[in-house]
Amino acid sequence: MGDSNVEIHENGKQGFDLGVFVGDLALDEDASSDEISLEGLQEELEECKNDDEVANILAKGTKLREYTKGVENNVREVELDSIQDYIKESDNLVLLHDQIRDCDNILSQMETLLSGFQAEIGSISSEIKSLQEKSMDMGLKLKNRKAAETKLSRFVEDIIVPPRMVDIIVDGEVNDEYLRTLEILSKKLKFVEVDSMVKASKALKDVQPELERLRQKAVSKAFEFMIQKLYALRKPKTNIQILQQNVLLKYKYVVLFLKEHGKEIYAEVRAAYVDTMNRVLSAHFRAYIQALEKLQLDIATSTDLIGVETRSTGLFLRGREPIKNRSAVFALGERIHILKEIDQPALIPHIAEANSQKYPYEVLFRSLHKLLMDTATSEYLFCDDFFGEDSIFYEIFAGPFAVIDEHFNAILPNCYDAIGLMLMIRIIHQHQLIMFRRRIPCLDSYLDKVNISLWPRFKMVFDMHLNSLRSANVKTLWEDDVHPHYVMRRYAEFTASLVHLNVEYGDGQLDLNLERLRMAVDDLLVKLAKLFMKPKSQIVFLINNYDMIIAILKEAGTEGGKTQMHFEELLKSNIAIYVEELLAEHFSDLIKFVKTRASEETSSSSEGPTISDVEPLVKDFASRWKGAIELMHKDVITSFSNFLCGMEILKAALTQLLLYYTRLSECVKRISGGSTLNKDLVSISSILYEIKKYSRTF
């Protein structure tokens, strides 16, 4: 047994083995095999396997019966202690019992009370529900009665005719109160006409005759009032726009009332206004045009053409005021300022006439159309606001348009001022932009019509200029003078003017016409040049004219263009020809030798240049080169009207001369025995010094 305890103790250290312990467990001798059953023991042992207390008992080898008795004794002691504690607390427990009984009585009373409350609340809830149903029923009835009252009151209000309204319509003056009464009457008339239920009501039968009499009286009174106001527009010196804005617009509801309830009368008022404004505006524009015609300054007549001889255009051919500066026929000059003043106020004729001022027609044209635009804008907006329709505008302005067309149709066939016509075309374009920015479309068709009529006239006058160049009598135009021809100056000014007016528009058709004009001028200029006997004079004449044309084109600020480039190329080629002609007059032998012999290779053969070939050339140049340069200088000064151009030509000639002489000098150095001529050769530095001297001088 001692061995078993030792073994059990060791096993406890390693981990308790129930199987080993149970195998050696000794049961009490009093226990009989009949009373003890080991069934389920294995499962209980497995459950207690991990219990620390059981493991500790078994590990110590304590007998179970002894351990059980010890536990029972401990339980008995605890029980006795508990009884003693209960006895000590008995008074408190009795007191607690009494308190619990009292609380139970109170809670019982409260339960009875709350049950009564619950019964009363249930009764009240039923009453509230009943009241709620009654309230909803009453609310629905109230809503229906209010709706009926609203409709009935509105019906009564819309159908009755108050005595005050009758008094105002029949006897009242047309003022703000009268207008408000008209609005009320209009609502009543619309009410009885639109609503089908109203038409079936008996009340309408009593009221309708009265309403009809009031309508007729109101329409009659409104007609008389408007006709009276419209006749005020016919009074002389009346400011129509102020009368429209301050008087007529104030009573525009009168017109609206007539439009809605008296269409026949409205048509009469409308016709009266159209007739009045048509007459008044036609008279105003006719008077304004007549005043403008007194200020007109004619620029050109049918004979003022580029290719017409000056002697054939006398002042006696002019019907009106002759212009002081004849170049204005072809030059744009200050006339371009009209496009910068496009939105300035129209001219006041009597002020201009008092100052004895005269204007080219495009100034009068702009002023007339400025007045037309402002008048049309004001009238269009007024008609739209007052009558509620813009179609009336075109009926009103049929008269003014006819007056302006009559004037324009009389002026245009007699207008031969191509610059003025192009300015008018640009003015119309600017006016179209102004009306577009104002968002007023009423003049669109009119301005298009004017523009369409201006272009053919411009084309016709332009073709007259073109044909004057093509059919020009060259012998009559020719003058024995190499300076720029007046026809070429006319052409240059005319072209520069049109190009300048086309810069912002890029009109391709105008560019094509200018190209045709340039070709005609080229042809005429060459024909005029051929009438000079000397080829040199022909070249000088061409250079002077080309230079003058380019200068005028540049002054116009056209920044080049095909026309200017064309003449610059012609000028360059003719300057090169002139330089050769000028040098050939003084150094023909030298130039001929340099061009034909100087490039030949020097050799022993007889074909190469020899000392005898070059010696006369070298000595001749050395003896007279300075004098020749001076003669060339004088020739250039007298030949070319443009001093700067002449100096450029002289510089080019001297530079070319230097090149020729340099080639001659190189040829001399290559010739055998050429060193003997060194004393006669002019140094290149000397020639350069002479060239620089002329450059500094000019």
Side-chain angles (χ1 to χ4, degrees):
M1 197 67 182
D3 294 335
S4 299
N5 292 334
V6 172
E7 186 177 352
I8 290 170
H9 181 70
E10 292 176 354
N11 289 335
K13 295 179 180 178
Q14 299 173 356
F16 177 66
D17 187 355
L18 274 176
V20 176
F21 179 77
V22 172
D24 295 334
L25 184 64
L27 298 174
D28 194 284
E29 294 176 354
D30 295 335
S32 63
S33 58
D34 296 333
E35 297 175 354
I36 298 173
S37 174
L38 298 179
E39 185 180 358
L41 179 61
Q42 185 67 30
E43 288 78 2
E44 292 181 2
L45 290 175
E46 285 296 329
E47 291 177 0
C48 297
K49 180 178 180 180
N50 296 323
D51 189 281
D52 293 337
E53 190 66 26
V54 175
N56 186 34
I57 293 170
L58 294 178
K60 291 180 180 179
T62 307
K63 291 184 178 181
L64 291 177
R65 188 172 294 280
E66 293 177 359
Y67 187 80
T68 301
K69 289 179 179 180
V71 171
E72 288 178 352
N73 292 332
N74 290 336
V75 170
R76 190 175 293 114
E77 289 178 1
V78 172
E79 181 181 1
L80 292 173
D81 291 339
S82 296
I83 292 169
Q84 291 299 321
D85 290 339
Y86 184 79
I87 293 170
K88 290 179 181 179
E89 296 295 331
S90 60
D91 294 337
N92 293 333
L93 291 173
V94 171
L95 181 60
L96 178 62
H97 179 266
D98 293 338
Q99 290 176 347
I100 290 172
R101 188 176 54 202
D102 293 340
C103 287
D104 187 53
N105 291 332
I106 294 171
L107 290 174
S108 177
Q109 293 174 3
M110 290 183 65
E111 182 182 6
T112 303
L113 182 62
L114 291 175
S115 297
F117 284 163
Q118 185 177 10
E120 291 179 3
I121 289 172
S123 175
I124 292 171
S125 176
S126 299
E127 291 179 4
I128 290 174
K129 186 175 182 181
S130 175
L131 290 173
Q132 187 178 10
E133 291 176 354
K134 290 180 180 180
S135 175
M136 291 177 64
D137 185 50
M138 291 173 67
L140 182 60
K141 291 179 179 179
L142 178 62
K143 183 178 179 182
N144 292 336
R145 289 177 180 179
K146 283 185 176 180
E149 181 187 4
T150 301
K151 290 185 177 181
L152 185 59
S153 63
R154 188 181 303 150
F155 174 80
V156 172
E157 182 181 351
D158 288 339
I159 203 168
I160 64 169
V161 181
R164 175 65 178 165
M165 186 176 78
V166 176
D167 293 339
I168 294 174
I169 294 295
V170 175
D171 300 322
E173 294 182 0
V174 180
N175 50 28
D176 292 342
E177 185 181 15
Y178 188 87
L179 295 178
R180 289 193 295 270
T181 307
L182 272 186
E183 291 184 29
I184 296 171
L185 177 59
S186 177
K187 289 179 181 178
K188 293 182 182 299
L189 292 171
K190 291 178 181 177
F191 178 71
V192 299
E193 291 173 0
V194 175
D195 198 327
S196 58
M197 293 180 64
V198 175
K199 291 182 179 180
S201 67
K202 293 182 178 180
L204 179 61
K205 296 179 181 179
D206 297 333
V207 175
Q208 193 168 19
E210 189 69 23
L211 283 175
E212 179 60 23
R213 284 194 292 272
L214 281 178
R215 183 194 70 81
Q216 292 177 358
K217 181 61 179 178
V219 167
S220 174
K221 197 167 187 176
F223 174 73
E224 293 175 0
F225 176 79
M226 291 308 304
I227 293 298
Q228 180 185 1
K229 294 298 181 185
L230 295 182
Y231 279 137
L233 294 170
R234 299 186 180 185
K235 293 180 180 179
K237 298 182 180 180
T238 299
N239 191 317
I240 296 173
Q241 293 180 6
I242 291 179
L243 186 62
Q244 288 174 336
Q245 297 297 323
N246 296 345
V247 179
L248 293 181
L249 279 180
K250 183 179 178 182
Y251 300 104
K252 69 177 181 179
Y253 186 77
V254 175
V255 174
L256 179 60
F257 181 84
L258 291 175
K259 193 174 184 180
E260 292 177 344
H261 304 291
K263 292 183 179 179
E264 294 180 359
I265 302 300
Y266 168 76
E268 292 183 25
V269 172
R270 184 182 185 278
Y273 180 80
V274 169
D275 181 64
T276 298
M277 291 304 298
N278 191 314
R279 292 185 181 185
V280 170
L281 293 179
S282 297
H284 283 186
F285 276 100
R286 186 176 287 105
Y288 188 72
I289 288 171
Q290 290 172 354
L292 287 181
E293 288 176 345
K294 297 177 182 179
L295 306 177
Q296 184 173 344
L297 175 66
D298 277 351
I299 299 296
T301 64
S302 59
T303 58
D304 290 318
L305 303 173
I306 296 175
V308 174
E309 185 187 0
T310 304
R311 290 186 293 273
S312 66
T313 58
L315 293 180
F316 60 86
L317 295 175
R318 303 185 175 277
R320 291 188 183 171
E321 186 77 16
I323 191 166
K324 294 180 180 179
N325 186 3
R326 295 298 306 131
S327 65
V329 176
F330 308 102
L332 186 60
E334 295 182 356
R335 297 172 73 182
I336 187 64
H337 294 162
I338 192 67
L339 296 179
K340 299 176 183 177
E341 303 166 357
I342 198 70
D343 211 16
Q344 292 296 313
L347 287 175
I348 301 175
H350 67 271
I351 295 178
E353 189 175 3
N355 296 331
S356 301
Q357 291 177 307
K358 300 286 183 180
Y359 301 96
Y361 183 71
E362 68 268 10
V363 177
L364 310 181
F365 180 83
R366 183 210 70 85
S367 186
L368 174 61
H369 283 82
K370 170 64 175 172
L371 179 64
L372 175 64
M373 285 195 304
D374 293 344
T375 306
T377 299
S378 174
E379 190 62 32
Y380 180 84
L381 294 174
F382 174 78
C383 290
D384 186 51
D385 192 7
F386 191 68
F387 290 98
E389 53 178 304
D390 53 11
S391 60
I392 192 174
F393 169 85
Y394 300 99
E395 298 176 40
I396 293 170
F397 265 76
F401 284 155
V403 171
I404 297 173
D405 286 344
E406 180 184 355
H407 160 73
F408 199 53
N409 292 334
I411 290 291
L412 198 58
N414 298 316
C415 182
Y416 297 94
D417 179 13
I419 304 299
L421 288 166
M422 182 52 64
L423 281 169
M424 286 188 274
I425 290 171
R426 299 312 182 211
I427 288 169
I428 285 292
H429 178 76
Q430 292 295 325
H431 284 171
Q432 287 174 323
L433 293 179
I434 291 172
M435 294 302 288
F436 175 76
R437 286 193 291 268
R438 292 181 182 180
R439 298 183 179 180
I440 304 295
C442 59
L443 292 182
D444 288 354
S445 58
Y446 170 78
L447 293 176
D448 287 339
K449 183 182 73 172
V450 174
N451 191 45
I452 291 171
S453 64
L454 284 170
W455 271 109
R457 183 64 190 178
F458 170 79
K459 182 67 167 56
M460 193 201 79
V461 176
F462 187 92
D463 287 343
M464 289 175 65
H465 285 288
L466 179 62
N467 292 330
S468 72
L469 291 172
R470 289 176 175 175
S471 60
N473 188 332
V474 179
K475 293 182 179 179
T476 306
L477 290 177
W478 184 79
E479 297 175 352
D480 191 10
D481 185 358
V482 295
H483 289 87
H485 198 279
Y486 62 85
V487 170
M488 298 304 118
R489 177 172 291 279
R490 290 176 184 173
Y491 161 76
E493 292 173 345
F494 185 73
T495 299
S497 300
L498 293 181
V499 170
H500 187 60
L501 289 174
N502 198 37
V503 169
E504 297 181 4
Y505 300 90
D507 194 312
Q509 191 63 38
L510 183 58
D511 289 336
L512 290 175
N513 286 325
L514 288 174
E515 183 68 14
R516 293 165 59 211
L517 193 69
R518 181 195 60 74
M519 294 170 64
V521 164
D522 282 345
D523 185 55
L524 177 62
L525 192 57
V526 171
K527 289 179 181 178
L528 289 171
K530 287 181 179 179
L531 294 179
F532 289 95
M533 299 299 295
K534 297 179 181 179
K536 181 182 171 186
S537 297
Q538 296 177 8
I539 300 300
V540 170
F541 177 74
L542 291 174
I543 290 174
N544 277 326
N545 282 282
Y546 292 149
D547 179 65
M548 181 265 299
I549 292 172
I550 293 169
I552 291 176
L553 290 175
K554 286 182 178 179
E555 286 177 8
T558 55
E559 299 179 358
K562 291 183 179 180
T563 304
Q564 185 175 323
M565 290 173 60
H566 171 78
F567 286 111
E568 286 175 348
E569 291 175 1
L570 289 176
L571 177 64
K572 184 178 179 181
S573 61
N574 279 277
I575 286 176
I577 296 172
Y578 174 78
V579 166
E580 293 297 330
E581 289 285 341
L582 183 64
L583 293 176
E585 285 185 3
H586 302 282
F587 305 102
S588 58
D589 293 338
L590 185 152
I591 293 171
K592 182 178 179 181
F593 175 82
V594 170
K595 288 183 176 180
T596 57
R597 307 288 305 279
S599 59
E600 296 178 4
E601 293 292 333
T602 57
S603 61
S604 57
S605 63
S606 59
E607 294 180 358
T610 61
I611 191 72
S612 60
D613 294 328
V614 297
E615 183 177 4
L617 298 175
V618 172
K619 290 184 178 181
D620 178 66
F621 184 84
S623 64
R624 63 185 186 86
W625 69 278
K626 288 186 178 181
I629 290 177
E630 181 62 28
L631 289 174
M632 287 194 302
H633 168 249
K634 290 180 179 179
D635 194 359
V636 168
I637 288 296
T638 56
S639 297
F640 298 104
S641 52
N642 185 346
F643 182 77
L644 294 177
C645 178
M647 289 305 98
E648 289 296 323
I649 292 172
L650 179 61
K651 184 178 179 181
L654 295 178
T655 303
Q656 188 63 34
L657 175 63
L658 179 62
L659 291 175
Y660 282 139
Y661 191 72
T662 301
R663 291 177 64 187
L664 176 65
S665 300
E666 292 174 353
C667 180
V668 170
K669 293 177 182 178
R670 291 197 301 267
I671 295 175
S672 177
S675 58
T676 57
L677 297 176
N678 287 344
K679 64 181 186 300
D680 296 318
L681 285 173
V682 179
S683 65
I684 300 300
S685 59
S686 299
I687 299 175
L688 282 173
Y689 174 78
E690 201 69 19
I691 292 174
K692 291 179 180 178
K693 183 176 73 173
Y694 281 103
S695 299
R696 286 196 302 269
T697 304
F698 305 106

